[in-house]
Every structure is written in structure tokens, then in C-alpha cells.
Amino acid sequence: MSTTAMNMIQALNSALDNKMSEDPTVLSFGEDTGYFGGVFRVTDHLQKNHGLTRSFDTPISESGIVGAAVGMSTYGLRPVVEIQFADYIYPAYDQIVSEAAKMRYRSGGQFTCPMVVRSPYGGGIFGGQTHSQSPESLFTHISGLKVVIPSNPYDAKGLLTSAIEDDDPVIFFEPKRLYNGPFDGWHEKPVSPWKAQELAQVPAEKYNVPIGKARVMREGNDVTILAYGT
């Protein structure tokens, strides 16, 4: 595969574009995700490349966005919806937990819910009260849900591809602090996260990183340290 230097935003955009090109049942929608390309530009050019019926904007209604995705997914589509910031996901919590997560079980396997809820999450960018929350623990304890949080551009693309192809609902949190690159460190004045560039060599073509399998960064004998995202 040929590779290109990408930051996490570009890698996620590439994953969406690849899957929408490959599979006509994949849709992308949310607040400002169509024409504008999203607040962080993760959905940039998707509407231009795939049309208004597959990449579109929604009203400001998180429960409506997720509720529509639940209905679409049970009828055979694969919606990828964006909650503009994870801090705004709470009005959709009931739809995610009571409907999407339970669809396979409650229908005895007759229906599945192949949908992805994407959202920028976490602190580290001085976003204040409603742009810095990390609500992943509210979802990791729910049967029927998978929660995915990438830590680098390569994994971000491969994991999002796997999430879209999964036949059950996936919550996909994207660390805002890593979108364009991490801070230089806390002892010196931090680099602005909007200007820093943390690039990785990412294949332009589609590929998968499996969900639920940890990467061993360093082997040891005494303790196991699990980490994710930032």
C-alpha cells in the first residue's frame, strides 16, 4: 500500500471517504457535518464527493440524530453520525443505551444496529466546561456497545473502518488534543494544538485495525498498564 503523511483529522476523513466510496449504504450526518465539513473538518469534502443524500446537515437535536441513525441501521444502512462535542451527547444517551445497544438482544438476533456515533472528546485544549468532558465510562459499562478511542492517526483510520463495518453500535471518541498533534510538554510553554502537526504514515487505501485487541508497546514482568487515547 502507498502511504501518505496524515494527522488524525486527515486519517479519519480518509476512512470515511474510503468506506463511502466502497459501500453505498454508508452515510455521514450531524450538525454542520455536510456543507461545512464539521467543526474540526473531519467530514470535509464528503458532501462534495458523495452527494447531499449521503453527507448532510441535521437540526441541533442529538436525540434526533442518534434516533434517526437507529432507524436507518435497522433497515440496512450504516450511518456514521457525529455529535459535535462529546459534552453534548447526553440528550442522546437514552437512544444509545435503550435502543441501539439493545437492538440485537431484544429482537432475538433478527435485527442488528450497524451504526457509529463519532464525537470529539476530552480536555487538553482549554475548551472550558462544555468542550472538555470525557464521558467514555458511561458507555463502556453498557452491554451491546463497543467504545473505541484511537491514540494515533494510523489506528484512527483502521479502527474507524472496522467500526463502520461492525454489525453492532460503536461509540467512537476522537481525542481533540491529538487531532492535529499533542503538546510539546508541560515544562515548557505548550504548542497550540491547532498549529502542531503530529503526522503518521497512513495508507491511502482502506485497511482495518481490529477492535478489542491491544497493541503491546513494551513487554515487562511485573505490571500491566492499559492506556487509550491521549
Side-chain angles (χ1 to χ4, degrees):
M1 288 185 178
S2 61
T3 62
T4 305
M6 298 184 189
N7 61 26
M8 189 177 287
I9 291 173
Q10 294 164 329
L12 293 166
N13 180 264
S14 180
L16 288 164
D17 194 39
N18 286 165
K19 281 304 300 179
M20 292 177 76
S21 297
E22 176 189 79
D23 185 350
T25 66
V26 178
L27 314 174
S28 170
F29 58 94
E31 297 164 17
D32 295 320
T33 62
Y35 178 80
F36 189 61
V39 171
F40 295 98
R41 301 298 191 271
V42 173
T43 56
D44 198 24
H45 292 102
L46 295 182
Q47 187 175 96
K48 179 180 178 181
N49 293 345
H50 303 285
L52 286 165
T53 60
R54 296 186 61 207
S55 175
F56 54 90
D57 299 308
T58 67
I60 302 174
S61 174
E62 286 73 22
S63 62
I65 292 168
V66 174
V70 172
M72 289 177 176
S73 64
T74 58
Y75 275 84
L77 298 175
R78 290 184 179 271
V80 184
V81 301
E82 178 179 295
I83 302 299
Q84 198 169 79
F85 288 89
D87 312 60
Y88 305 154
I89 205 168
Y90 306 114
Y93 192 75
D94 185 46
Q95 291 286 352
I96 294 169
V97 171
S98 302
E99 304 299 333
K102 307 298 188 291
M103 190 61 69
R104 184 189 286 271
Y105 179 79
R106 74 191 295 179
S107 68
Q110 294 183 73
F111 292 96
T112 57
C113 204
M115 57 181 279
V116 179
V117 180
R118 294 181 39 253
S119 190
Y121 99 109
I125 65 165
F126 309 102
Q129 173 195 350
T130 58
H131 297 80
S132 303
Q133 295 179 40
S134 300
E136 64 270 23
S137 64
L138 299 177
F139 299 97
T140 55
H141 297 279
I142 302 299
S143 299
L145 287 182
K146 296 180 179 76
V147 179
V148 177
I149 304 176
S151 65
N152 60 79
Y154 180 89
D155 284 352
K157 179 173 178 176
L159 285 168
L160 183 55
T161 300
S162 296
I164 295 171
E165 294 177 350
D166 199 293
D167 285 333
D168 291 304
V170 177
I171 307 299
F172 198 94
F173 284 135
E174 302 161 7
K176 296 190 295 291
R177 190 177 166 207
L178 299 182
Y179 263 157
N180 289 297
F183 288 120
D184 270 354
W186 298 109
H187 299 296
E188 303 293 336
K189 184 178 179 181
V191 176
S192 166
W194 314 111
K195 296 179 181 178
Q197 290 292 313
E198 181 72 5
L199 303 180
Q201 290 299 317
V202 177
E205 299 85 1
K206 173 198 156 185
Y207 64 92
N208 293 76
V209 171
I211 294 174
K213 183 177 181 180
R215 173 177 286 124
V216 179
M217 301 302 293
R218 186 173 68 185
E219 293 189 358
N221 299 314
D222 301 313
V223 297
T224 298
I225 300 174
L226 304 178
Y228 60 90
T230 310

